[in-house]
Amino acid sequence: MAHLLAALIVTAAVIGQVSLARAQTQPTSPATATATAPAEPRPENVEADVSTRSVAVTSSFTGTEIVVFGAIDNARHLESNEEQYEIVITLEGARQRLVARRKSNVTGIWVNTESVTFADVPSYYAIASTRPLDEIADPIVLRQRDIGFEQIPMQPERGWATGLSTSDLRKFKSAVIRLKRKERLYVESEFGVRFVGRNLFRATIDLPANVPVGPLATRVYLFRNGQLIDTFESRVQLAREGIERYLYDFAFSYPMLYGIAAVIVAIGAGLAASSIFQRHRR
């Protein structure tokens, strides 16, 4: 009996050693390797918003400010200053047709001699960035996203038949941008975006009193090391309010009736003023 018990103990020990050896030599399964491997860092993305989604334009409208703010999700700790995150914010108005004319001196009189009609010209364009654009990304990357005054798509509808060269066309584009900037409809702020902490940012963009009424597309671009990582887009609506809105709708919906009404009002105002002056003379 004792010999049988000893034999069972020896057999159990041998089986245990064999099982342990198999467990040590068995390859790790893919599921286990995936679970133990370090997780890949999640890609960065930008989340942003604007201070207001609707701006009322009335007779007393003198301009306003739009604050764009946001944060970078999954931001990494970057040691090198050359690989820091960069933010570019653009605020673009509705695109419209625009006629650019050039005057020339003909026998002592300045007259319009050449003109080009551009299509899809932004009525308003503001851009703010953490640094100058040429320090953030390559011009090719900026051109792909139409970022910057030089990258604004201004396709001519007419003008090629007049014999304009590429150089002349470039001058027309530069003139349009120069006039728009003079009217404060094209605005650029190279250091207008400021970081608050490591991943929070904000920018303030001015809307002048003469900003065209309509939707404004707000776009936020996140760059790192010259490459575009993520984009965020929202809209701000500029809408007429009060009596201005009704007059505008009436003028464009019923132009003939509006013209007749304007003439009647002008005649009535003239007769009223004349009557008041005659009474004062007496």
Side-chain angles (χ1 to χ4, degrees):
M1 188 67 180
H3 293 287
L4 181 60
L5 181 60
L8 292 175
I9 293 175
V10 172
T11 303
V14 172
I15 293 175
Q17 292 179 358
V18 173
S19 300
L20 180 60
R22 289 181 178 177
Q24 292 177 350
T25 58
Q26 186 176 3
T28 306
S29 63
T32 307
T34 304
T36 57
E40 289 290 335
R42 300 178 61 185
E44 307 98 316
N45 64 294
V46 60
E47 297 291 341
D49 203 352
V50 291
S51 56
T52 179
R53 294 296 181 90
S54 178
V55 177
V57 179
T58 61
S59 58
S60 59
F61 180 75
T62 58
T64 186
E65 291 183 346
I66 298 295
V67 179
V68 184
F69 55 91
I72 303 174
D73 291 341
N74 308 319
R76 306 175 186 177
H77 180 67
L78 304 177
E79 297 291 345
S80 176
N81 292 331
E82 297 180 356
E83 296 184 357
Q84 296 299 317
Y85 294 112
E86 305 291 350
I87 296 293
V88 177
I89 299 174
T90 62
L91 197 62
E92 182 179 328
R95 300 192 175 188
Q96 58 187 11
R97 295 173 67 253
L98 185 145
V99 180
R101 296 181 174 88
R102 179 162 62 186
K103 294 181 179 293
S104 300
N105 192 343
V106 180
T107 64
I109 301 176
W110 288 92
V111 295
N112 295 324
T113 55
E114 294 177 316
S115 65
V116 176
T117 300
F118 292 104
D120 297 334
V121 179
S123 58
Y124 175 81
Y125 189 87
I127 182 169
S129 55
T130 51
R131 288 193 300 170
L133 294 179
D134 56 355
E135 299 180 8
I136 293 178
D138 189 84
I140 298 178
V141 179
L142 301 176
R143 190 178 301 113
Q144 292 174 350
R145 294 287 179 167
D146 298 337
I147 301 176
F149 294 151
E150 298 297 330
Q151 317 303 336
I152 294 177
M154 297 171 59
Q155 299 298 327
E157 289 185 353
R158 295 189 300 272
W160 292 101
T162 61
L164 289 178
S165 63
T166 303
S167 176
D168 290 336
L169 184 62
R170 189 179 299 110
K171 292 179 181 179
F172 272 100
K173 291 182 178 181
S174 300
V176 171
I177 295 175
R178 184 178 66 254
L179 293 176
K180 288 284 189 178
R181 298 189 70 169
K182 185 178 180 180
E183 297 173 356
R184 296 178 57 198
L185 293 178
Y186 281 14
V187 185
E188 183 179 14
S189 180
E190 294 183 342
F191 298 94
V193 181
R194 298 183 180 275
F195 274 99
V196 183
R198 190 178 70 177
N199 60 341
L200 301 178
F201 62 87
R202 70 186 302 272
T204 302
I205 299 177
D206 294 328
L207 295 180
N210 59 335
V211 60
V213 178
L216 296 176
T218 305
R219 299 182 179 91
V220 181
Y221 303 93
L222 173 62
F223 288 89
R224 177 169 57 81
N225 196 22
Q227 299 298 321
L228 180 63
I229 300 176
D230 194 27
T231 305
F232 175 86
E233 183 173 349
S234 65
R235 286 188 174 271
V236 178
Q237 182 67 37
L238 273 69
R240 291 182 174 85
E241 298 291 342
I243 190 173
E244 291 83 5
R245 176 181 177 182
Y246 296 105
L247 291 176
Y248 180 85
D249 293 340
F250 179 62
F252 281 86
S253 301
Y254 308 96
M256 183 174 294
L257 294 179
Y258 179 81
I260 295 173
V263 172
I264 293 175
V265 171
I267 294 175
L271 293 177
S274 176
S275 177
I276 293 174
F277 289 148
Q278 290 179 359
R279 291 181 182 180
H280 280 289
R281 288 178 181 179
R282 296 177 183 176

